[in-house]
Short mmCIF file of all heavy atoms in Angstrom, two decimals:
data_model
loop_
_atom_site.label_atom_id
_atom_site.label_comp_id
_atom_site.label_asym_id
_atom_site.label_seq_id
_atom_site.Cartn_x
_atom_site.Cartn_y
_atom_site.Cartn_z
N VAL A 87 2.78 12.91 -8.90
CA VAL A 87 2.23 14.28 -8.74
C VAL A 87 3.34 15.31 -8.78
O VAL A 87 3.32 16.32 -9.37
CB VAL A 87 1.37 14.33 -7.51
CG1 VAL A 87 0.95 15.78 -7.21
CG2 VAL A 87 -0.02 13.50 -7.69
N ALA A 88 4.37 15.04 -7.98
CA ALA A 88 5.54 15.90 -7.96
C ALA A 88 6.29 16.04 -9.28
O ALA A 88 6.62 17.16 -9.69
CB ALA A 88 6.52 15.41 -6.90
N ALA A 89 6.33 14.98 -10.06
CA ALA A 89 6.97 15.08 -11.35
C ALA A 89 6.11 15.90 -12.33
O ALA A 89 6.56 16.80 -13.13
CB ALA A 89 7.14 13.70 -11.96
N CYS A 90 4.80 15.74 -12.25
CA CYS A 90 3.85 16.52 -13.11
C CYS A 90 4.00 18.03 -12.71
O CYS A 90 4.05 18.86 -13.67
CB CYS A 90 2.43 15.97 -12.98
SG CYS A 90 2.17 14.49 -13.71
N SER A 91 3.95 18.35 -11.51
CA SER A 91 4.12 19.79 -11.14
C SER A 91 5.47 20.34 -11.46
O SER A 91 5.55 21.49 -11.90
CB SER A 91 3.84 19.96 -9.60
OG SER A 91 4.82 19.28 -8.82
N LEU A 92 6.49 19.58 -11.42
CA LEU A 92 7.79 20.07 -11.75
C LEU A 92 7.78 20.35 -13.30
O LEU A 92 8.35 21.27 -13.68
CB LEU A 92 8.88 19.00 -11.36
CG LEU A 92 10.36 19.38 -11.72
CD1 LEU A 92 10.77 20.66 -11.05
CD2 LEU A 92 11.27 18.18 -11.35
N LEU A 93 7.30 19.36 -14.06
CA LEU A 93 7.32 19.50 -15.46
C LEU A 93 6.60 20.75 -15.92
O LEU A 93 6.87 21.44 -16.88
CB LEU A 93 6.79 18.23 -16.18
CG LEU A 93 7.76 17.06 -16.16
CD1 LEU A 93 7.09 15.84 -16.69
CD2 LEU A 93 9.05 17.37 -16.88
N SER A 94 5.39 20.92 -15.27
CA SER A 94 4.50 22.02 -15.61
C SER A 94 5.11 23.37 -15.31
O SER A 94 4.90 24.41 -15.96
CB SER A 94 3.17 21.89 -15.05
OG SER A 94 3.23 22.07 -13.63
N SER A 95 6.02 23.41 -14.29
CA SER A 95 6.54 24.66 -13.86
C SER A 95 7.82 25.05 -14.70
O SER A 95 8.24 26.14 -14.75
CB SER A 95 7.08 24.64 -12.36
OG SER A 95 8.06 23.66 -12.21
N CYS A 96 8.29 24.06 -15.45
CA CYS A 96 9.40 24.25 -16.43
C CYS A 96 9.02 24.48 -17.81
O CYS A 96 9.81 24.45 -18.69
CB CYS A 96 10.36 23.01 -16.39
SG CYS A 96 11.08 22.64 -14.75
N GLN A 97 7.74 24.77 -18.03
CA GLN A 97 7.30 25.01 -19.32
C GLN A 97 8.00 26.29 -19.93
O GLN A 97 8.29 27.25 -19.17
CB GLN A 97 5.76 25.35 -19.48
CG GLN A 97 4.97 24.03 -19.26
CD GLN A 97 3.56 24.27 -19.30
OE1 GLN A 97 3.11 25.37 -19.37
NE2 GLN A 97 2.73 23.18 -19.24
N GLN A 98 8.23 26.31 -21.23
CA GLN A 98 8.81 27.47 -21.84
C GLN A 98 7.97 28.77 -21.83
O GLN A 98 6.79 28.62 -22.05
CB GLN A 98 9.28 27.13 -23.32
CG GLN A 98 10.07 28.12 -23.86
CD GLN A 98 10.47 27.74 -25.39
OE1 GLN A 98 10.14 26.65 -25.73
NE2 GLN A 98 11.25 28.53 -26.01
N LYS A 99 8.62 29.89 -21.58
CA LYS A 99 7.82 31.06 -21.63
C LYS A 99 7.49 31.42 -23.02
O LYS A 99 8.25 31.11 -24.02
CB LYS A 99 8.63 32.22 -21.05
CG LYS A 99 8.76 32.09 -19.48
CD LYS A 99 9.50 33.37 -19.02
CE LYS A 99 9.59 33.33 -17.47
NZ LYS A 99 10.23 34.48 -17.05
N THR A 100 6.45 32.21 -23.20
CA THR A 100 6.01 32.69 -24.57
C THR A 100 7.04 33.77 -25.00
O THR A 100 7.41 34.58 -24.29
CB THR A 100 4.56 33.37 -24.44
OG1 THR A 100 3.72 32.31 -23.88
CG2 THR A 100 4.03 33.72 -25.87
N TYR A 101 7.34 33.58 -26.35
CA TYR A 101 8.24 34.65 -26.96
C TYR A 101 7.57 36.01 -26.73
O TYR A 101 6.36 36.13 -27.10
CB TYR A 101 8.44 34.25 -28.43
CG TYR A 101 9.57 34.96 -29.10
CD1 TYR A 101 10.84 34.91 -28.60
CD2 TYR A 101 9.32 35.73 -30.25
CE1 TYR A 101 11.89 35.50 -29.30
CE2 TYR A 101 10.43 36.38 -30.89
CZ TYR A 101 11.63 36.30 -30.38
OH TYR A 101 12.70 36.88 -31.10
N PRO A 102 8.33 37.01 -26.33
CA PRO A 102 7.73 38.31 -26.09
C PRO A 102 7.36 39.09 -27.40
O PRO A 102 8.18 39.81 -27.90
CB PRO A 102 8.68 39.02 -25.30
CG PRO A 102 10.03 38.40 -25.59
CD PRO A 102 9.73 36.99 -25.99
N VAL A 103 6.16 38.96 -27.82
CA VAL A 103 5.60 39.72 -28.90
C VAL A 103 4.33 40.40 -28.43
O VAL A 103 3.45 39.72 -27.96
CB VAL A 103 5.31 38.88 -30.11
CG1 VAL A 103 4.63 39.71 -31.25
CG2 VAL A 103 6.49 38.22 -30.62
N PHE A 104 4.25 41.80 -28.45
CA PHE A 104 3.10 42.45 -27.98
C PHE A 104 2.91 43.69 -28.75
O PHE A 104 3.85 44.22 -29.40
CB PHE A 104 3.11 42.60 -26.43
CG PHE A 104 4.40 43.14 -25.97
CD1 PHE A 104 4.57 44.52 -25.82
CD2 PHE A 104 5.40 42.37 -25.53
CE1 PHE A 104 5.71 45.15 -25.36
CE2 PHE A 104 6.60 42.97 -24.98
CZ PHE A 104 6.68 44.27 -24.93
N PHE A 105 1.71 44.27 -28.56
CA PHE A 105 1.29 45.48 -29.25
C PHE A 105 0.94 46.52 -28.16
O PHE A 105 0.01 46.35 -27.33
CB PHE A 105 0.12 45.30 -30.21
CG PHE A 105 0.35 44.39 -31.36
CD1 PHE A 105 0.39 43.04 -31.17
CD2 PHE A 105 0.88 44.93 -32.58
CE1 PHE A 105 0.65 42.19 -32.21
CE2 PHE A 105 1.13 44.13 -33.62
CZ PHE A 105 1.08 42.79 -33.49
N LEU A 106 1.56 47.68 -28.18
CA LEU A 106 1.34 48.77 -27.20
C LEU A 106 0.57 49.90 -27.95
O LEU A 106 0.87 50.17 -29.05
CB LEU A 106 2.70 49.32 -26.62
CG LEU A 106 3.60 48.36 -25.94
CD1 LEU A 106 4.86 49.08 -25.54
CD2 LEU A 106 2.95 47.82 -24.78
N ALA A 107 -0.35 50.49 -27.23
CA ALA A 107 -1.20 51.63 -27.80
C ALA A 107 -0.63 52.87 -27.26
O ALA A 107 -0.20 52.93 -26.10
CB ALA A 107 -2.63 51.39 -27.38
N GLN A 108 -0.72 53.93 -28.01
CA GLN A 108 -0.27 55.30 -27.64
C GLN A 108 -1.14 55.80 -26.48
O GLN A 108 -2.35 55.57 -26.55
CB GLN A 108 -0.36 56.24 -28.85
CG GLN A 108 0.12 57.53 -28.54
CD GLN A 108 0.11 58.44 -29.78
OE1 GLN A 108 -0.30 58.02 -30.92
NE2 GLN A 108 0.48 59.71 -29.63
N GLU A 109 -0.57 56.46 -25.56
CA GLU A 109 -1.24 57.01 -24.41
C GLU A 109 -1.42 58.54 -24.77
O GLU A 109 -0.33 59.19 -24.85
CB GLU A 109 -0.47 56.79 -23.14
CG GLU A 109 -1.15 57.35 -21.94
CD GLU A 109 -2.48 56.67 -21.57
OE1 GLU A 109 -2.75 55.58 -21.92
OE2 GLU A 109 -3.29 57.39 -20.97
N GLY A 110 -2.58 59.00 -24.89
CA GLY A 110 -2.74 60.43 -25.17
C GLY A 110 -2.44 60.80 -26.63
O GLY A 110 -2.16 59.90 -27.41
N HIS A 111 -2.35 62.06 -26.96
CA HIS A 111 -2.04 62.46 -28.26
C HIS A 111 -0.68 63.06 -28.30
O HIS A 111 -0.13 63.45 -27.24
CB HIS A 111 -3.11 63.50 -28.70
CG HIS A 111 -4.46 62.92 -28.83
ND1 HIS A 111 -4.84 62.22 -29.99
CD2 HIS A 111 -5.50 62.94 -28.00
CE1 HIS A 111 -6.06 61.80 -29.87
NE2 HIS A 111 -6.55 62.17 -28.64
N ASP A 112 -0.14 63.33 -29.51
CA ASP A 112 1.30 63.79 -29.63
C ASP A 112 1.39 65.16 -29.04
O ASP A 112 2.48 65.49 -28.54
CB ASP A 112 1.64 63.87 -31.17
CG ASP A 112 1.79 62.45 -31.68
OD1 ASP A 112 2.08 61.50 -30.94
OD2 ASP A 112 1.67 62.32 -32.92
N ASP A 113 0.39 66.00 -29.06
CA ASP A 113 0.43 67.38 -28.51
C ASP A 113 0.19 67.47 -26.97
O ASP A 113 0.25 68.47 -26.44
CB ASP A 113 -0.56 68.32 -29.30
CG ASP A 113 -1.91 67.83 -29.23
OD1 ASP A 113 -2.22 66.74 -28.64
OD2 ASP A 113 -2.76 68.62 -29.65
N GLN A 114 0.00 66.31 -26.33
CA GLN A 114 -0.31 66.43 -24.90
C GLN A 114 0.97 66.36 -24.12
O GLN A 114 1.94 65.73 -24.54
CB GLN A 114 -1.14 65.12 -24.61
CG GLN A 114 -1.74 65.18 -23.22
CD GLN A 114 -2.72 63.93 -23.02
OE1 GLN A 114 -2.94 63.17 -23.91
NE2 GLN A 114 -3.25 63.89 -21.87
N ASP A 115 1.02 67.09 -23.07
CA ASP A 115 2.18 67.18 -22.20
C ASP A 115 2.36 65.87 -21.44
O ASP A 115 1.42 65.37 -20.76
CB ASP A 115 1.88 68.30 -21.19
CG ASP A 115 3.05 68.52 -20.21
OD1 ASP A 115 4.18 68.20 -20.57
OD2 ASP A 115 2.93 69.09 -19.12
N PRO A 116 3.60 65.30 -21.52
CA PRO A 116 3.89 64.00 -20.87
C PRO A 116 3.79 64.03 -19.39
O PRO A 116 3.38 63.05 -18.71
CB PRO A 116 5.45 63.75 -21.19
CG PRO A 116 5.64 64.65 -22.40
CD PRO A 116 4.75 65.77 -22.31
N SER A 117 3.81 65.24 -18.76
CA SER A 117 3.60 65.26 -17.28
C SER A 117 2.17 65.07 -16.91
O SER A 117 1.77 64.93 -15.78
CB SER A 117 4.14 66.67 -16.71
OG SER A 117 3.37 67.68 -17.26
N ALA A 118 1.17 65.10 -17.93
CA ALA A 118 -0.12 64.89 -17.66
C ALA A 118 -0.50 63.44 -17.30
O ALA A 118 -1.61 63.08 -16.91
CB ALA A 118 -0.99 65.39 -18.82
N TYR A 119 0.46 62.50 -17.66
CA TYR A 119 0.18 61.06 -17.38
C TYR A 119 0.10 60.80 -15.92
O TYR A 119 0.92 61.39 -15.18
CB TYR A 119 1.11 60.28 -18.23
CG TYR A 119 1.11 60.54 -19.65
CD1 TYR A 119 2.30 60.96 -20.30
CD2 TYR A 119 -0.15 60.50 -20.35
CE1 TYR A 119 2.25 61.29 -21.61
CE2 TYR A 119 -0.14 60.80 -21.71
CZ TYR A 119 1.02 61.12 -22.35
OH TYR A 119 1.02 61.47 -23.68
N THR A 120 -0.56 59.79 -15.54
CA THR A 120 -0.75 59.50 -14.22
C THR A 120 0.48 59.04 -13.45
O THR A 120 0.78 59.47 -12.38
CB THR A 120 -1.81 58.41 -13.97
OG1 THR A 120 -1.45 57.38 -14.73
CG2 THR A 120 -3.16 58.89 -14.46
N SER A 121 1.33 58.20 -14.05
CA SER A 121 2.48 57.69 -13.33
C SER A 121 3.51 57.01 -14.41
O SER A 121 3.10 56.53 -15.42
CB SER A 121 2.05 56.59 -12.37
OG SER A 121 3.16 55.97 -11.82
N ALA A 122 4.72 57.10 -14.05
CA ALA A 122 5.77 56.49 -14.86
C ALA A 122 5.61 54.90 -14.97
O ALA A 122 6.03 54.36 -15.95
CB ALA A 122 7.15 56.82 -14.31
N LYS A 123 5.05 54.39 -14.02
CA LYS A 123 4.83 52.93 -14.07
C LYS A 123 3.81 52.49 -15.10
O LYS A 123 3.72 51.34 -15.45
CB LYS A 123 4.54 52.36 -12.63
CG LYS A 123 3.24 52.69 -12.10
CD LYS A 123 3.11 52.13 -10.74
CE LYS A 123 1.66 52.51 -10.28
NZ LYS A 123 1.43 51.86 -8.91
N HIS A 124 3.05 53.43 -15.60
CA HIS A 124 2.01 53.09 -16.56
C HIS A 124 2.39 53.37 -17.92
O HIS A 124 1.62 53.00 -18.84
CB HIS A 124 0.68 53.73 -16.19
CG HIS A 124 0.15 53.36 -14.81
ND1 HIS A 124 -0.28 52.14 -14.55
CD2 HIS A 124 0.01 54.18 -13.77
CE1 HIS A 124 -0.70 52.05 -13.31
NE2 HIS A 124 -0.52 53.29 -12.82
#
Side-chain angles (χ1 to χ4, degrees):
V87 169
C90 288
S91 65
L92 178 63
L93 288 174
S94 66
S95 68
C96 295
Q97 287 180 355
Q98 185 176 3
K99 289 185 175 182
T100 302
Y101 194 61
V103 176
F104 49 89
F105 295 84
L106 301 176
Q108 183 179 0
E109 180 67 27
H111 294 278
D112 290 337
D113 58 353
Q114 193 171 0
D115 180 22
S117 64
Y119 303 121
T120 56
S121 171
K123 67 181 182 178
H124 299 295

